[in-house]
Amino acid sequence: MYMEESQSRDFIRQVIDEDNKTGKYDGRVHTRFPPEPNGYLHIGSAKAIWVNYGIAHEYGGKFNLRFDDTNPIAEEKEFIDAIVEDVKWLGADFEDRLLYSSDYFQQMYDYAIDLIKKGKAYVCDLSAEEMKEYRGDYTTPGRNSPSRERPVEESLDLFVRMKTGEFPDGSKTLRAKIDMAHPNMNMRDPPMYRILHATHPHTGDEWCIYPIYDWAHGLEDSIEGITHSLCSIEFENHRLLYDWFLDELDIYHPQQIEFARMNVSFTVMSKRYLKELVEGDHVNGWDDPRMPTIAGMRRRGYTPTSIREFCNRAGIAKKPNTIAFELLEACVRDDLNKIAPRFMGVLDPLKVVITNFPEGDSEVLEAINNPEDPDAGTRTIPFTRELFIERTDFMEEPFKKFYRLAPGREVRFRYAYFVTCNEVIKDDNGEVVELRCTIDPATKGGDSPDGRKVKGTIHWVSADHAVDAEVMLYDRLFTVEDPMGHPDKPFTEFLNPDSLKALGHCKVEPAIADLPKGAGFQFERTGYFNIDKDSAPDKLVLNRTVPLRDSWARIQKGR
RNA sequence: AGUCCCGUGGUGUAGCGGUUAUCAUGCUUGCCUUUGGAGCAAGCGACAGCGGUUCAAAUCCGCUCGGGACUACCA
């Protein structure tokens, strides 16, 4: 099955096209995403998921989710559950193929026995430290282990006893017998099994020897019938070993293809550093909305569509890359613009009294829910004598390009009336505390029958009806594009002190209170928001996903 | 230092011997507008360098320079 040939093809798709042409895998395409359950997935993982799933889906193939759970020391059930949730949420459909490497432990063990019998693997008595020393380095060849010429029968016996738990952790390993002088360090008799008396999150205490990645990974791919094993570039040097094991075993041989992992500017992308942020209390957990984790982005209000689109636009190549954070923002805005219902919300309220509107009266106005989507319909919003507008929408002494409210000036209150500011009331400190305004009753709905134009339109809420909300404003987590690019300083030094700003007394349309947790919407003229998971009916908490594209900020800057 | 990989606008990407060098993002300007949103239009901005092959090179070859990965019983 071929996709539109006109579409540009990344190098991986080109390889698959070629394989399909030659019939290498009988036209099958089967990929996998193999996370280790030792942390939460991040946007970089999302890229890997989307490349693997996207390709399988495109070619009418299959996609497996497989936990690469070969190291019980680092892995936890919490992470397994979180990863499954994230992958599903992203929309990468693995059907019934939620798999575990640990389910193949017996088969891998049998393969290891095979290899020992073939004289291609041996049990080694060297300690970790000794092994390192024997390995040599980039320029000097390694030395053979004293165990290297151990008879096959002896290795076989020792390996079985390793499995039955006879030996303490670290006392022995099973190693492939390749070449201690190989220029590729991975080929210098790499260990295949280590002894680890640890409880495994999936297999419990069944095993006390665990396979090492290089040995396990190709086997997992082979067992599952994977065709194209897509991984990141740091495994390039491991491909030789991947191929070696499969060839020596003479079993089904998938093809490993490497592509560059994705970085995003103004954040960090490795599980290790994300863990440091969580454990060092620099953020409030793995799902902190400032985190580049999928859980964090979901909580912040990013949609699966926007993340997928981001991955698509980022592309696939082998060059180290850093994608602009702005692209991520552009992608969410694109999606949310189409689907997010509009509301009005005032972040920094300034009271407005409409002096020609009767006290105690209220009126119902109609507003469009989403100008991009006619099917979204309309809603009603209450208008009363006392309103709140955004403090930044009023200026006592406006400069030339300020189109909003000012003394004596008329603007439109969205979906309501043309409103003129007649009087500015200040407190003892000279701070503006209230505006006295009048409406033109003929402009109800926002249009003037006489064709009179008004420069600005501002949002507002009825003071009597508005609901209080706490609004979380997020900014980039770091102040520099590449927090890791400064080897002399820890990346935490570049944490942005203003990455979270909580606004306490925002006034929002009452309808917001009825929205379910996680629901995303737009506050007109302000940005996209959603209902936080910690929100409650009597204490609304909103997250700002991303501000609207702000050409106003540029005008202000150019003043 | 050795092995392997990679260099196209600020960023990311297309290109597969002949193109005004693609698209997106970004930035600039204009139009439009009941969101200073969205939309529309125009513009800015790149083949790392040097040699070679060829009628013709971003594309093929060589060298130089630059970037990345690798010395875990992690993945």
Side-chain angles (χ1 to χ4, degrees):
Chain A
M1 178 179 191
Y2 294 96
M3 288 310 286
E4 312 87 85
E5 296 288 348
S6 60
Q7 209 181 317
S8 85
R9 322 240 75 198
D10 54 74
F11 77 96
I12 294 176
R13 275 171 245 253
Q14 287 178 26
V15 169
I16 296 175
D17 286 345
E18 187 58 28
D19 287 346
N20 281 170
K21 214 174 289 172
T22 61
K24 183 170 178 187
Y25 296 108
D26 303 318
R28 291 167 50 235
V29 174
H30 198 155
T31 61
R32 99 271 94 114
F33 175 63
E36 182 186 17
N38 66 346
Y40 278 61
L41 262 25
H42 49 67
I43 181 74
S45 326
K47 166 82 176 286
I49 292 167
W50 200 244
V51 167
N52 277 286
Y53 171 75
I55 285 177
H57 183 68
E58 232 176 85
Y59 286 89
K62 291 178 176 172
F63 166 76
N64 294 358
L65 172 59
R66 177 177 74 221
F67 285 103
D68 215 339
D69 55 349
T70 56
N71 182 10
I73 308 274
E75 298 155 9
E76 289 170 33
K77 181 78 165 77
E78 178 203 347
F79 297 133
I80 293 178
D81 296 339
I83 290 170
V84 170
E85 185 189 355
D86 288 349
V87 173
K88 282 186 177 166
W89 178 79
L90 248 191
D93 185 8
F94 48 85
E95 302 173 78
D96 59 347
R97 291 181 304 282
L98 171 52
L99 307 168
Y100 294 84
S101 301
S102 51
D103 284 336
Y104 315 139
F105 280 174
Q106 182 60 45
Q107 196 165 351
M108 293 179 190
Y109 176 80
D110 294 341
Y111 280 139
I113 299 277
D114 267 9
L115 222 51
I116 298 172
K117 285 181 179 165
K118 286 180 176 170
K120 298 290 186 178
Y122 61 95
V123 170
C124 178
D125 299 330
L126 253 29
S127 69
E129 218 167 88
E130 289 166 328
M131 199 185 291
K132 182 183 167 70
E133 188 204 320
Y134 273 71
R135 187 162 32 231
D137 60 30
Y138 293 136
T139 47
T140 63
R143 283 147 44 222
N144 285 169
S145 160
S147 313
R148 199 170 201 263
E149 296 311 324
R150 168 130 62 198
V152 167
E153 287 312 315
E154 195 180 318
S155 278
L156 233 30
D157 172 61
L158 254 17
F159 186 51
V160 170
R161 287 160 63 192
M162 276 168 67
K163 178 183 186 269
T164 52
E166 197 173 311
F167 307 115
D169 288 4
S171 59
K172 290 186 187 333
T173 55
L174 181 71
R175 290 227 257 168
K177 195 171 181 178
I178 309 181
D179 177 4
M180 286 307 292
H182 200 105
N184 183 332
M185 302 289 288
N186 297 125
M187 301 298 275
R188 322 250 260 224
D189 287 13
M192 296 159 60
Y193 276 94
R194 76 280 211 183
I195 301 170
L196 232 43
H197 292 266
T199 301
H200 186 284
H202 191 62
T203 59
D205 294 320
E206 200 182 330
W207 294 85
C208 65
I209 54 171
Y210 288 92
I212 284 159
Y213 174 88
D214 283 315
W215 162 244
H217 204 82
L219 301 183
E220 297 157 12
D221 287 341
S222 178
I223 291 166
E224 293 179 9
I226 299 302
T227 55
H228 303 270
S229 180
L230 313 179
C231 61
S232 51
I233 217 87
E234 67 260 38
F235 294 106
E236 211 151 28
N237 292 332
H238 295 246
R239 191 177 55 234
L240 202 53
L241 223 203
Y242 181 101
D243 291 340
W244 189 89
F245 281 131
L246 263 16
D247 289 343
E248 292 300 331
L249 253 14
D250 195 25
I251 57 177
Y252 169 75
H253 195 152
Q255 177 181 3
Q256 174 178 307
I257 304 174
E258 312 84 17
F259 64 99
R261 53 185 337 143
M262 177 178 72
N263 298 296
V264 175
S265 61
F266 296 102
T267 191
V268 293
M269 202 57 80
S270 90
K271 276 191 255 183
R272 188 186 136 199
Y273 298 129
L274 294 176
K275 191 173 227 155
E276 217 175 306
L277 290 175
V278 172
E279 287 170 359
D281 286 328
H282 295 109
V283 296
N284 307 312
W286 287 96
D287 70 344
D288 186 302
R290 293 167 294 179
M291 289 282 271
T293 52
I294 296 182
M297 294 174 71
R298 174 170 56 232
R299 184 172 179 184
R300 170 125 165 208
Y302 281 84
T303 58
T305 307
S306 65
I307 294 177
R308 283 185 228 132
E309 180 58 16
F310 176 69
C311 296
N312 288 151
R313 291 197 209 176
I316 304 170
K318 301 185 88 163
K319 172 174 72 161
N321 62 81
T322 302
I323 316 286
F325 186 79
E326 290 87 338
L327 185 63
L328 193 49
E329 294 189 319
C331 290
V332 229
R333 289 194 188 106
D334 262 18
D335 188 35
L336 258 12
N337 176 45
K338 287 183 220 128
I339 63 172
R342 271 61 167 172
F343 291 98
M344 292 200 279
V346 174
L347 268 31
D348 184 9
L350 172 61
K351 190 170 162 188
V352 169
V353 177
I354 308 294
T355 53
N356 62 343
F357 194 89
E359 215 160 322
D361 238 17
S362 105
E363 186 164 52
V364 163
L365 301 162
E366 190 174 42
I368 293 166
N369 284 331
N370 184 351
E372 303 295 315
D373 176 15
D375 293 341
T378 59
R379 70 184 186 285
T380 53
I381 44 176
F383 186 87
T384 51
R385 179 181 166 91
E386 292 197 1
L387 312 170
F388 290 113
I389 64 165
E390 207 72 65
R391 188 164 283 277
T392 51
D393 281 341
F394 172 79
M395 237 183 164
E396 197 169 11
E397 291 168 38
F399 62 94
K400 193 155 165 268
K401 284 190 170 171
F402 188 84
Y403 299 154
R404 290 114 90 153
L405 203 56
R409 184 182 289 178
E410 183 176 52
V411 299
R412 174 167 38 236
F413 277 30
R414 176 141 240 229
Y415 297 127
Y417 291 96
F418 281 15
V419 176
T420 305
C421 174
N422 306 303
E423 197 185 334
V424 179
I425 297 176
K426 298 180 183 177
D427 64 10
D428 296 343
N429 301 321
E431 193 174 330
V432 178
V433 291
E434 181 181 317
L435 265 23
R436 303 232 147 193
C437 303
T438 49
I439 57 169
D440 174 356
T443 59
K444 181 170 176 181
D447 282 310
S448 66
D450 62 6
R452 182 165 96 250
K453 295 278 184 200
V454 96
K455 269 279 205 188
T457 299
I458 66 174
H459 60 274
W460 54 275
V461 291
S462 158
D464 294 345
H465 300 83
V467 178
D468 274 30
E470 181 174 26
V471 175
M472 313 300 247
L473 263 25
Y474 302 107
D475 199 354
R476 32 186 69 147
L477 228 201
F478 292 90
T479 54
V480 295
E481 268 189 48
D482 178 15
M484 287 302 161
H486 310 263
D488 46 321
K489 287 180 183 166
F491 73 104
T492 47
E493 275 210 13
F494 303 102
L495 248 4
N496 179 4
D498 301 318
S499 62
L500 169 60
K501 206 180 296 173
L503 302 181
H505 300 287
C506 307
K507 301 284 187 182
V508 305
E509 258 185 68
I512 297 293
D514 301 326
L515 261 25
K517 286 181 183 183
F521 54 90
Q522 184 194 98
F523 275 145
E524 297 217 23
R525 303 207 308 134
T526 305
Y528 296 100
F529 297 78
N530 79 347
I531 312 287
D532 188 70
K533 68 167 189 183
D534 289 344
S535 190
D538 56 325
K539 193 182 182 307
L540 277 179
V541 180
L542 312 181
N543 297 307
R544 185 175 68 188
T545 308
V546 64
L548 252 27
R549 227 175 125 257
D550 191 5
S551 45
W552 167 244
R554 277 196 289 276
I555 293 169
Q556 264 181 317
K557 223 193 290 178
R559 261 172 82 189

